[in-house]
Amino acid sequence: RSRSSSRRDKRQSSRFMGIVQQVVAPRAISNTIVRPWRLRLSRRRVGRLALWLLTTVCIVCHPWLISFRNPDCTRQLAFTGSSGLSVKHCPHVPLGHAQPRVARGSWESFQEFAQDPLVSVVGWSVVFASLTILKVAVAEESDTPAAFLRNGSNTPDQAPVSTSPVICVGDSLTRGNLSADWVGNLRQMLTDGANKPVLNAGVNMQCITNVKTRIEEVIACKPSHVTVLVGTNDLKAQASDFEGWLYKVFGKIPYVSTLETYERDLSEIRDRLLAAGARVALVSPPVLGEDINSAANQQAKAYAKVVERTAANGGERCTYFPLFEQTYAELPKTGGRPYDGFRFFSWLCLLCFDIHLFGRDLSDVQRERKLGATLDLVHLGPKAANNLAAMTAAFVMTTVQDDLVLAATCCEV
């Protein structure tokens, strides 16, 4: 009897497992199909939830941030007509009997201003956005010349052309963690074509004087090709005294470049790279803002002429990439937005969240902002980035073939 009951149990369990497999199998297939869509949806939900959570925390906690030392606070409704949601209202805190009335009045005004929920939300949002941008800006990457040398991957003195790296030198436009990553696109193109390593030597918030101090590190990697895209931050520093001060203090530049000092420094960078045996491509800085007639873009046009002239004086191993001309052609004839530092910073904050938190398509961001060449009036959009990557890939692959033919001819002789 016990054997028959155990056999009956086994048959029932096997039948049950068969039914479970029939039910679960279609769901597993549907999950594999829908999984990427669910991942994108969950990522967006998490981002929106984080923003709502930040707003709620700021509204609830802002009185405590101002008045945590003062226990004499009363509860009041946060908004007219609200039920249940209340905030602390604290009496004014005098600075002392010895302080003049003007000082007491200023502090009291500041307290009233800081206890406004809207001010708290905006203020703390700016703080968190700035910290996020700072974290992204200073993050250490693994594809830099410093990492290349640290890992012992530097090529010997007589390295073959096919294994020596391609190095892209520049600022945040080249770094690509706050804009479209044209160096990443180039790496994919060369992996399929020339199979050459690509190093990213772009550093955020750097001017041409900063880049000039880093050239020895680039030369130590013994590159076969180097692109130099620098000058946008120099243009921004010239456009505003405040931004010029920021680059002096945080960018650690001794002076704000002029057109003459920019040409002198760019010529020195070109000569040092050519003397190291690399082929050099000098890239003109793109448009600054999207107003075709603005003073900033007229100055950017003058910078492009300087870059073109410097490349022409470098000989046959130096070439010019007309990035300014390509981005200038994408601007509207009328109604384009001029460069504005405040709008640029606000869009840059949102762009940081769009790229690193929401994972949005940059073409959608560009379309929403009604921009043609840039993402935030400064950084490259997807089309401009793809064009620059394609120009660089063509430059590398054609010259690599020429160098291989020349090396084979020398060997035969």
Side-chain angles (χ1 to χ4, degrees):
R1 187 176 301 173
S2 59
R3 291 180 181 177
S4 60
S5 62
S6 62
R7 291 175 183 174
R8 190 183 307 109
D9 293 338
K10 288 181 180 180
R11 285 196 298 270
Q12 290 178 353
S13 62
S14 61
R15 190 179 306 162
F16 175 76
M17 292 302 298
I19 295 173
V20 169
Q21 289 178 0
Q22 292 177 2
V23 173
V24 172
R27 293 185 180 179
I29 296 173
S30 63
N31 284 338
T32 57
I33 297 173
V34 185
R35 188 175 299 165
W37 178 81
R38 285 185 177 176
L39 286 175
R40 289 195 296 268
L41 185 61
S42 61
R43 209 175 282 153
R44 292 178 183 175
R45 285 180 177 175
V46 169
R48 291 172 182 172
L49 180 61
L51 290 179
W52 278 110
L53 183 61
L54 172 63
T55 304
T56 305
V57 168
C58 291
I59 291 176
V60 172
C61 297
H62 80 278
W64 178 82
L65 296 172
I66 296 297
S67 59
F68 61 94
R69 292 182 181 177
N70 188 0
D72 301 327
C73 299
T74 58
R75 287 277 180 181
Q76 292 184 356
L77 293 179
F79 303 101
T80 304
S82 62
S83 60
L85 180 61
S86 62
V87 296
K88 289 182 180 179
H89 180 72
C90 304
H92 301 309
V93 180
L95 291 179
H97 298 291
Q99 298 292 336
R101 279 186 77 84
V102 176
R104 287 200 302 270
S106 301
W107 172 248
E108 291 169 358
S109 300
F110 171 75
Q111 274 194 312
E112 293 177 358
F113 176 75
Q115 287 179 352
D116 190 326
L118 179 61
V119 172
S120 178
V121 171
V122 173
W124 284 102
S125 298
V126 170
V127 169
F128 282 111
S130 301
L131 291 175
T132 303
I133 292 176
L134 184 62
K135 181 180 182 300
V136 171
V138 301
E140 186 176 359
E141 305 289 345
S142 60
D143 60 347
T144 61
F148 183 79
L149 295 172
R150 188 167 55 248
N151 295 334
S153 301
N154 50 317
T155 56
D157 293 336
Q158 301 298 327
V161 176
S162 59
T163 58
S164 53
V166 177
I167 303 182
C168 303
V169 180
D171 46 31
S172 59
L173 274 69
T174 301
R175 182 67 263 165
N177 55 7
L178 295 173
S179 64
D181 185 12
W182 70 269
V183 179
N185 296 344
L186 172 66
R187 188 176 290 112
Q188 292 180 354
M189 294 177 184
L190 292 184
T191 300
D192 298 335
N195 194 22
K196 289 179 65 65
V198 178
L199 303 181
N200 192 323
V203 178
N204 295 326
M205 205 179 174
Q206 286 208 340
C207 299
I208 192 167
T209 52
N210 304 114
V211 172
K212 188 173 67 171
T213 61
R214 295 191 289 115
I215 288 301
E216 285 304 320
E217 182 182 64
V218 174
I219 293 174
C221 297
K222 299 177 177 60
S224 61
H225 300 75
V226 179
T227 65
V228 181
L229 170 56
V230 64
T232 296
N233 290 327
D234 298 275
L235 283 167
K236 290 170 59 184
Q238 289 183 21
S240 166
D241 293 336
F242 177 69
E243 290 199 59
W245 175 81
L246 287 177
Y247 283 108
K248 284 182 179 179
V249 174
F250 298 103
K252 298 180 181 180
I253 60 174
Y255 56 85
V256 175
S257 296
T258 63
L259 199 61
E260 292 75 19
T261 59
Y262 176 79
E263 184 172 8
R264 182 194 64 201
D265 291 340
L266 187 63
S267 299
E268 181 180 345
I269 292 172
R270 175 205 64 194
D271 293 340
R272 290 166 67 182
L273 291 173
L274 290 174
R279 289 185 178 270
V280 180
L282 301 182
V283 189
S284 57
V287 293
L288 184 61
E290 301 213 346
D291 184 357
I292 200 170
N293 298 316
S294 65
N297 276 329
Q298 296 305 314
Q299 185 71 355
K301 184 183 294 186
Y303 268 61
K305 294 296 183 183
V306 166
V307 177
E308 185 177 13
R309 181 168 62 248
T310 305
N313 295 333
E316 61 179 7
R317 294 182 64 84
C318 186
T319 189
Y320 171 66
F321 286 175
L323 181 62
F324 172 79
E325 289 81 352
Q326 290 183 356
T327 54
Y328 191 80
E330 298 294 327
L331 301 185
K333 300 301 179 184
T334 58
R337 291 184 182 272
Y339 174 74
D340 174 36
F342 178 77
R343 185 183 295 275
F344 159 68
F345 181 74
S346 61
W347 273 351
L348 181 63
C349 293
L350 296 174
L351 186 63
C352 188
F353 285 102
D354 285 334
I355 294 175
H356 299 282
L357 185 61
F358 301 133
R360 295 188 61 195
D361 187 354
L362 295 181
S363 299
D364 295 336
V365 176
Q366 194 175 32
R367 194 178 304 111
E368 288 177 1
R369 298 176 178 181
K370 299 179 180 179
L371 298 175
T374 66
L375 289 171
D376 51 13
L377 303 177
V378 173
H379 294 104
L380 298 178
K383 183 177 180 181
N386 288 333
N387 290 339
L388 180 54
M391 281 193 296
T392 308
F395 165 66
V396 172
M397 288 189 286
T398 55
T399 53
V400 162
Q401 295 298 326
D402 294 341
D403 291 342
L404 290 175
V405 171
L406 181 61
T409 304
C410 293
C411 291
E412 291 176 359
V413 174

